[in-house]
Amino acid sequence: MRILLVEDQLQQAQYTQKALQEGGHTVDHAAEGRTGLFMATTENYDAIVLDRMLPLVDGLTILRTLRASDNKTPILLLSALGEPDDRVEGLRAGADDYLSKPFHSAELLARIEVITRRSQMASTTDTSKLQLADLELDRLARTVRRAGKLIDLQPREYQLLEFLLRHAGQVVTRTMLLEGVWNYHFDPNTNVIDVHMSKLRAKIDGDQPRPLLHTVRGAGYRMGEK
Amino acid sequence: MTRSWHTMVRSPFTRWAIIMPLLMCIVVTIFGVLAFRETQRALINEFQTALREEVLNLELLYREEGFTALKKSIDRRAHQDETQRVYLLTNARGEYIAGNLKIWPRNVPIRDDAEATFIDPTTGEKVAAEVILLYGDNQLLVGRRAIHEQVARHLIQNYLWLCALMLFSATAAGLLFSRAIQKRLAAIHHTANTIRLGHQQSRIALAGSNDEIDGVIVELNALLDQQEKLLTYARQSSSAIAHDLRQPLSLLRGKLLEIGTEPQQDVLVKQEALAQLDQILAMFSAILRLGRLESGAQALQLETIDLKVLAEDVVELYQPLIEDAGHTLTLSGEHCIIAIDRELIFAALCNLIENANRYGQSQIDVLISPQAITVRDYGQGVAQSDLDRLSEPFFKAESSRNSAGHGLGLALVKAIAELHGGHLILRNAEPGFMATLQLAS
């Protein structure tokens, strides 16, 4: 995908750019707000990674300007190190997601993946059935079957699975799970999410020859046939 | 202390010490002049009336009883003690017959009803007199010593003394007062200098008079105490950061050195190095978060929610982890609707539960009471001496010296509690340990 990165600190920009390129994206970099705004309005990007703290024109202003001019490009807002971590304000200004520094490249890629997919598939979220290989989740009946066999899940496990299936094929990080399923935004120090995941895995992959829930080292989880 | 005249004049105290007596003098002068004029007028009136009467009396006496009676009366009157009156009765040639004046003054005309003033040569006092010519050209001079002039002289003298005394005493008082104030200011000044030179413990001495200045000094000292505490805290935490980072960074360095020694292990070593680095980054995030919370840079996003529902979320999140560790996690207590920052309280509660899971044994109780959440474990508890320091950043009790935590957890929880206008209460529960997150009541 083609991504615009608006970031004034050179080192941080290089790090982010490298991370995005490793994820297979092409990156245009703007080192300050005005250039960023100009590029965002004149070129066509799949996503914009926007630093919140910029000289001249700050990130939130760019964000509001773009949204006001009806630009719907998915935007991931980055909070600068050591400034108030105000997700709510960022999301209200029209960001699709919010990530605070320092972040993992895997986290960044996973979130970019999700916000771009989200905009493409805005219509698919209301399908009543989510399916992956022989795993099937019925959102109306709130049931899950694997190879036709009913699996008994706790409400939270069901929510986890639904979230994973909605992002099938994408890497989903632990913090994304905590946000998407529990609706809390913070970085748990322990492997508290992993325990939930291993319980879920035991129920859906258990003794199946082909596992569908994969652990991505250093990043998180992914639902997929491979 | 040598101070130039210029700074002395610039001092408000010195100015006060100068202006005050001058003002007093001006006021007294105005009063004095008014009083003086009134007194003089009254005295002169009195004087003239008395002189008139005297003359009339003597004329009457002379007409009714004759010269001899007049002479006798004058003799009697003239030789009264302390008399202010002056008499001279002479014959036509001006030779003395009776009275207390010996010679007819030179500038007094010999004319009936003449009025004149002259200086009495014997006393040097001013006398106002009237002249009466009797039959046979005897001359009578009746006068009164002008005591109002004396009174005026006395008044002016007294006034000058009074002014001098006032100037002196007010200046002295002013100087003493300003000296006292300046001395106390100098104490503040001196302490400030001492502190600037690096003696952080120095404090301003109190005069012990419990007045406003002492009040200010007490405030200043309290401020200095607080600043010193903050400074010490900043020093400690920066050295603690340095200290606590050395170890994980050295480990990381070791890991990086391992890369390439056994190529088949490289992937694993890299993973371990990354995990190590993540821990360091997490610690930095925690430091930054703590800084934001403590400096108030993070505004609270208050929402009115049920504390119990939030606790249920936390318990539900941690239940599997704690069961895996072989412990149990229970939640009890009433519903409690309260306005809080749900994200922050959630994080705080997670912190407390992680602590309980790390140091406790078998059971963790979460209890909701009005405006408060308590997390209790049944582990070893904490040494009494460590209790107060537990929520200091980077402080680790002996018992947890070797655990994985970065020593910022409770500091974060405390900051979150205080941001909500509450506080964090830590105590031993015999058995176990109890942390209460008390929110604003």
Side-chain angles (χ1 to χ4, degrees), chain B residues 4-25:
Chain B
S4 71
W5 168 245
H6 186 64
T7 50
M8 207 159 131
V9 171
R10 266 225 320 254
S11 153
F13 302 116
T14 313
R15 276 189 242 165
W16 182 237
I18 294 169
I19 289 169
M20 185 66 201
L22 285 180
L23 269 176
M24 281 166 78
C25 277

Side-chain angles (χ1 to χ4, degrees), chain A residues 8-29:
Chain A
D8 59 309
Q9 289 167 314
L10 195 62
Q11 270 196 308
Q12 180 69 47
Q14 282 170 343
Y15 168 79
T16 313
Q17 196 163 356
K18 193 158 167 283
L20 291 169
Q21 281 162 348
E22 278 172 359
H25 306 292
T26 44
V27 182
D28 288 354
H29 172 226

Side-chain angles (χ1 to χ4, degrees), chain A residues 143 147 152 181 210:
Chain A
T143 55
D152 180 31
V181 177
R210 278 199 318 166

